[in-house]
PDB file of all heavy atoms in Angstrom:
ATOM      1  N   LEU A 160      91.557 -18.033-215.788  1.00 98.00           N
ATOM      2  CA  LEU A 160      91.272 -16.988-214.807  1.00 98.00           C
ATOM      3  C   LEU A 160      92.438 -16.012-214.770  1.00 98.00           C
ATOM      4  O   LEU A 160      93.528 -16.357-214.313  1.00 98.00           O
ATOM      5  CB  LEU A 160      91.045 -17.631-213.429  1.00 98.00           C
ATOM      6  CG  LEU A 160      90.960 -16.674-212.243  1.00 98.00           C
ATOM      7  CD1 LEU A 160      89.871 -15.623-212.440  1.00 98.00           C
ATOM      8  CD2 LEU A 160      90.717 -17.458-210.947  1.00 98.00           C
ATOM      9  N   PHE A 161      92.210 -14.801-215.271  1.00 98.00           N
ATOM     10  CA  PHE A 161      93.237 -13.758-215.264  1.00 98.00           C
ATOM     11  C   PHE A 161      93.283 -13.145-213.872  1.00 98.00           C
ATOM     12  O   PHE A 161      92.327 -12.512-213.437  1.00 98.00           O
ATOM     13  CB  PHE A 161      92.901 -12.683-216.309  1.00 98.00           C
ATOM     14  CG  PHE A 161      93.325 -13.059-217.693  1.00 98.00           C
ATOM     15  CD1 PHE A 161      93.019 -14.294-218.222  1.00 98.00           C
ATOM     16  CD2 PHE A 161      94.056 -12.169-218.479  1.00 98.00           C
ATOM     17  CE1 PHE A 161      93.424 -14.664-219.497  1.00 98.00           C
ATOM     18  CE2 PHE A 161      94.467 -12.515-219.759  1.00 98.00           C
ATOM     19  CZ  PHE A 161      94.152 -13.767-220.265  1.00 98.00           C
ATOM     20  N   ASP A 162      94.410 -13.336-213.199  1.00 98.00           N
ATOM     21  CA  ASP A 162      94.520 -12.844-211.826  1.00 98.00           C
ATOM     22  C   ASP A 162      95.638 -11.813-211.712  1.00 98.00           C
ATOM     23  O   ASP A 162      96.717 -11.991-212.315  1.00 98.00           O
ATOM     24  CB  ASP A 162      94.801 -14.018-210.879  1.00 98.00           C
ATOM     25  CG  ASP A 162      94.852 -13.546-209.440  1.00 98.00           C
ATOM     26  OD1 ASP A 162      93.827 -13.013-208.967  1.00 98.00           O
ATOM     27  OD2 ASP A 162      95.911 -13.683-208.797  1.00 98.00           O
ATOM     28  N   LEU A 163      95.370 -10.761-210.972  1.00 98.00           N
ATOM     29  CA  LEU A 163      96.393  -9.723-210.744  1.00 98.00           C
ATOM     30  C   LEU A 163      95.990  -8.890-209.530  1.00 98.00           C
ATOM     31  O   LEU A 163      94.820  -8.931-209.120  1.00 98.00           O
ATOM     32  CB  LEU A 163      96.576  -8.841-211.981  1.00 98.00           C
ATOM     33  CG  LEU A 163      95.566  -7.732-212.317  1.00 98.00           C
ATOM     34  CD1 LEU A 163      95.994  -6.979-213.550  1.00 98.00           C
ATOM     35  CD2 LEU A 163      94.178  -8.273-212.497  1.00 98.00           C
ATOM     36  N   PRO A 164      96.951  -8.171-208.908  1.00 98.00           N
ATOM     37  CA  PRO A 164      96.587  -7.345-207.752  1.00 98.00           C
ATOM     38  C   PRO A 164      95.549  -6.289-208.142  1.00 98.00           C
ATOM     39  O   PRO A 164      95.597  -5.742-209.252  1.00 98.00           O
ATOM     40  CB  PRO A 164      97.914  -6.686-207.360  1.00 98.00           C
ATOM     41  CG  PRO A 164      98.970  -7.543-207.964  1.00 98.00           C
ATOM     42  CD  PRO A 164      98.386  -8.112-209.217  1.00 98.00           C
ATOM     43  N   LEU A 165      94.670  -6.033-207.207  1.00 97.00           N
ATOM     44  CA  LEU A 165      93.580  -5.095-207.468  1.00 97.00           C
ATOM     45  C   LEU A 165      94.096  -3.722-207.896  1.00 97.00           C
ATOM     46  O   LEU A 165      93.540  -3.091-208.799  1.00 97.00           O
ATOM     47  CB  LEU A 165      92.741  -4.974-206.193  1.00 97.00           C
ATOM     48  CG  LEU A 165      91.434  -4.227-206.345  1.00 97.00           C
ATOM     49  CD1 LEU A 165      90.529  -4.959-207.307  1.00 97.00           C
ATOM     50  CD2 LEU A 165      90.765  -4.081-204.991  1.00 97.00           C
ATOM     51  N   ALA A 166      95.164  -3.266-207.256  1.00 97.00           N
ATOM     52  CA  ALA A 166      95.677  -1.915-207.550  1.00 97.00           C
ATOM     53  C   ALA A 166      96.073  -1.802-209.027  1.00 97.00           C
ATOM     54  O   ALA A 166      95.827  -0.765-209.658  1.00 97.00           O
ATOM     55  CB  ALA A 166      96.879  -1.619-206.650  1.00 97.00           C
ATOM     56  N   VAL A 167      96.639  -2.863-209.580  1.00 97.00           N
ATOM     57  CA  VAL A 167      97.053  -2.834-210.986  1.00 97.00           C
ATOM     58  C   VAL A 167      95.812  -2.775-211.886  1.00 97.00           C
ATOM     59  O   VAL A 167      95.752  -2.010-212.859  1.00 97.00           O
ATOM     60  CB  VAL A 167      97.905  -4.084-211.333  1.00 97.00           C
ATOM     61  CG1 VAL A 167      98.357  -4.042-212.781  1.00 97.00           C
ATOM     62  CG2 VAL A 167      99.095  -4.205-210.395  1.00 97.00           C
ATOM     63  N   ALA A 168      94.810  -3.568-211.549  1.00 97.00           N
ATOM     64  CA  ALA A 168      93.569  -3.584-212.329  1.00 97.00           C
ATOM     65  C   ALA A 168      92.887  -2.214-212.290  1.00 97.00           C
ATOM     66  O   ALA A 168      92.405  -1.704-213.304  1.00 97.00           O
ATOM     67  CB  ALA A 168      92.636  -4.665-211.793  1.00 97.00           C
ATOM     68  N   ARG A 169      92.867  -1.613-211.106  1.00 94.00           N
ATOM     69  CA  ARG A 169      92.234  -0.294-210.939  1.00 94.00           C
ATOM     70  C   ARG A 169      92.948   0.775-211.771  1.00 94.00           C
ATOM     71  O   ARG A 169      92.324   1.636-212.370  1.00 94.00           O
ATOM     72  CB  ARG A 169      92.243   0.115-209.460  1.00 94.00           C
ATOM     73  CG  ARG A 169      91.428  -0.763-208.557  1.00 94.00           C
ATOM     74  CD  ARG A 169      89.997  -0.296-208.428  1.00 94.00           C
ATOM     75  NE  ARG A 169      89.125  -0.977-209.361  1.00 94.00           N
ATOM     76  CZ  ARG A 169      87.856  -0.669-209.603  1.00 94.00           C
ATOM     77  NH1 ARG A 169      87.286   0.322-209.004  1.00 94.00           N
ATOM     78  NH2 ARG A 169      87.140  -1.351-210.459  1.00 94.00           N
ATOM     79  N   GLU A 170      94.262   0.680-211.811  1.00 94.00           N
ATOM     80  CA  GLU A 170      95.046   1.641-212.619  1.00 94.00           C
ATOM     81  C   GLU A 170      94.679   1.521-214.095  1.00 94.00           C
ATOM     82  O   GLU A 170      94.528   2.504-214.795  1.00 94.00           O
ATOM     83  CB  GLU A 170      96.538   1.332-212.484  1.00 94.00           C
ATOM     84  CG  GLU A 170      97.248   2.169-211.463  1.00 94.00           C
ATOM     85  CD  GLU A 170      98.678   1.676-211.264  1.00 94.00           C
ATOM     86  OE1 GLU A 170      99.335   1.315-212.252  1.00 94.00           O
ATOM     87  OE2 GLU A 170      99.105   1.638-210.090  1.00 94.00           O
ATOM     88  N   ARG A 171      94.533   0.270-214.551  1.00 92.00           N
ATOM     89  CA  ARG A 171      94.189   0.043-215.965  1.00 92.00           C
ATOM     90  C   ARG A 171      92.823   0.634-216.291  1.00 92.00           C
ATOM     91  O   ARG A 171      92.631   1.243-217.336  1.00 92.00           O
ATOM     92  CB  ARG A 171      94.154  -1.459-216.266  1.00 92.00           C
ATOM     93  CG  ARG A 171      95.532  -2.080-216.297  1.00 92.00           C
ATOM     94  CD  ARG A 171      95.425  -3.516-216.740  1.00 92.00           C
ATOM     95  NE  ARG A 171      96.706  -4.193-216.663  1.00 92.00           N
ATOM     96  CZ  ARG A 171      96.869  -5.498-216.809  1.00 92.00           C
ATOM     97  NH1 ARG A 171      95.821  -6.273-217.035  1.00 92.00           N
ATOM     98  NH2 ARG A 171      98.063  -6.055-216.745  1.00 92.00           N
ATOM     99  N   ILE A 172      91.872   0.460-215.371  1.00 92.00           N
ATOM    100  CA  ILE A 172      90.524   0.993-215.606  1.00 92.00           C
ATOM    101  C   ILE A 172      90.565   2.524-215.606  1.00 92.00           C
ATOM    102  O   ILE A 172      89.968   3.175-216.457  1.00 92.00           O
ATOM    103  CB  ILE A 172      89.532   0.471-214.543  1.00 92.00           C
ATOM    104  CG1 ILE A 172      89.322  -1.033-214.752  1.00 92.00           C
ATOM    105  CG2 ILE A 172      88.197   1.196-214.638  1.00 92.00           C
ATOM    106  CD1 ILE A 172      88.447  -1.678-213.708  1.00 92.00           C
ATOM    107  N   ALA A 173      91.323   3.080-214.671  1.00 90.00           N
ATOM    108  CA  ALA A 173      91.400   4.545-214.561  1.00 90.00           C
ATOM    109  C   ALA A 173      92.023   5.158-215.818  1.00 90.00           C
ATOM    110  O   ALA A 173      91.699   6.290-216.193  1.00 90.00           O
ATOM    111  CB  ALA A 173      92.215   4.920-213.327  1.00 90.00           C
TER     112      ALA A 173
END
Side-chain angles (χ1 to χ4, degrees):
L160 170 56
F161 278 49
D162 183 60
L163 78 178
L165 190 63
V167 181
R169 296 270 95 189
E170 263 173 40
R171 288 186 186 170
I172 292 176

